[in-house]
Structure formats: C-alpha cells, structure tokens
Amino acid sequence: MLVRSLLVAMLGLAASTLSGPVSAQCRLCTAPTSEPVADTTPPVALEVEANIDFDRIVLAGVGEGMATLRPDGSRQTSGTIVSIGGRAMVGSIVVRGEAGRVVRVSLPSRIALHGINGSEIGIEQVVSDLPASPRIASDGTLSFRIGGALHIVGDVDGDYRGDFSVDVDYL
C-alpha cells in the first residue's frame, strides 16, 4: 500500500512540474499518402579531369613486362619494358555532391585497352589515392587520382584505348 501511494505521489509531482497543457502526438491524425517524399539531397556528379595516359612505352624485345603508374605520379618498369614516356599522366577525377557526406567509390579491378587491329592489353591493379572512408569536402567536392599497372605480353605495337566506369554512392 505504501508503494502505491508513493507512485501516485511521484506521478502527481511529475504532472505538476510540466508547464502548460500537454497533448500527445497523433500519428494517425493525418491522412496517409502514397506519394514519394521529395529528396532534397543533391545528386552525385562525376567529372574526369585527366585520363590515365602511359604515353610511350619502350619495349626491349618480345616477352612480358609491366609498366606501373602510381596515383602520386611515380613510375616503375619491369620485364621487357624499359621506359615510360615523360608525359605519362595519372587519371584525375572530381566527385561533386553534398558537403560532408561519406561516399563509396567503386573502381574496376582491370581496365581493358583495345588496339585498332583488335589486340588487347590491360591495366591491372587499378589503384587510387582515396582514403579508407572518402568524404565530400565542405566545398562539395572530392578529388582523387588513379593509376595502375599496364601488363604487356608479346609484341603488341600500336595505340590502345579503353573506357571504364567509376561508381559513386552516398552512404
């Protein structure tokens, strides 16, 4: 009996400390709608500022070789490849979107490059300088660079070009 009267006294005390009339929020008072809620989040936009370009690669014979171009611009060769041209460039991409948002950026693991004569070579191990959890900066942009390792087997003389997709999603 003492417990019940103490509980009633505490409820009375709590009710007396509230100022003004108290009304409950009614979740069923408005008519339901099936219209989609307008999304005010700006869409993600992607802009390529510079393409990956290995420039000219010098082969020292027929065989297998690798030309590596890292996101910081450093270069390395191995195997039958002895030089990468002086104008080689890393790819540069800018993402535009809502400031402060964390995004997921998906790059391909391989980029196929095709020659005019139908031959194919590939950029393996595509890498970027993105942080582990990329975030759009306060100015609404996220810039990053990409590179990779161009794997060459045999005599593959010629110009090669290819396309690849980069997917960016808000998290």
Side-chain angles (χ1 to χ4, degrees):
M1 187 81 147
L2 177 62
V3 174
R4 188 186 310 164
S5 62
L6 182 58
L7 182 59
V8 171
M10 288 177 68
L11 288 175
L13 179 62
S16 67
T17 60
L18 298 174
S19 60
V22 177
S23 61
Q25 184 179 11
C26 176
R27 294 185 181 182
L28 300 175
C29 293
T30 58
T33 179
S34 60
E35 292 183 29
V37 177
D39 187 7
T40 59
T41 304
V44 175
L46 190 81
E47 179 183 333
V48 176
E49 289 190 328
N51 295 318
I52 300 174
D53 187 350
F54 281 81
D55 193 29
R56 295 181 186 267
I57 296 176
V58 177
L59 299 172
V62 177
E64 187 171 345
M66 187 88 66
T68 303
L69 182 59
R70 292 183 189 83
D72 64 2
S74 61
R75 303 172 235 183
Q76 180 180 355
T77 60
S78 64
T80 60
I81 298 174
V82 293
S83 176
I84 299 176
R87 294 178 292 164
M89 291 177 37
V90 298
S92 178
I93 298 174
V94 175
V95 176
R96 299 186 193 288
E98 183 178 357
R101 291 287 300 264
V102 176
V103 292
R104 175 182 40 238
V105 179
S106 300
L107 297 170
S109 58
R110 181 179 191 277
I111 302 170
L113 303 175
H114 304 279
I116 195 163
N117 62 357
S119 59
E120 181 181 301
I121 59 177
I123 299 176
E124 312 288 336
Q125 308 159 9
V126 177
V127 293
S128 75
D129 61 359
L130 282 167
S133 294
R135 180 180 302 269
I136 297 177
S138 61
D139 67 353
T141 65
L142 168 66
S143 298
F144 64 96
R145 297 180 297 180
I146 58 174
L150 184 62
H151 187 214
I152 296 179
V153 178
D155 184 16
V156 290
D157 188 29
D159 289 333
Y160 290 84
R161 302 200 186 291
D163 294 321
F164 65 96
S165 63
V166 176
D167 295 324
V168 180
D169 297 307
Y170 287 128
L171 293 183

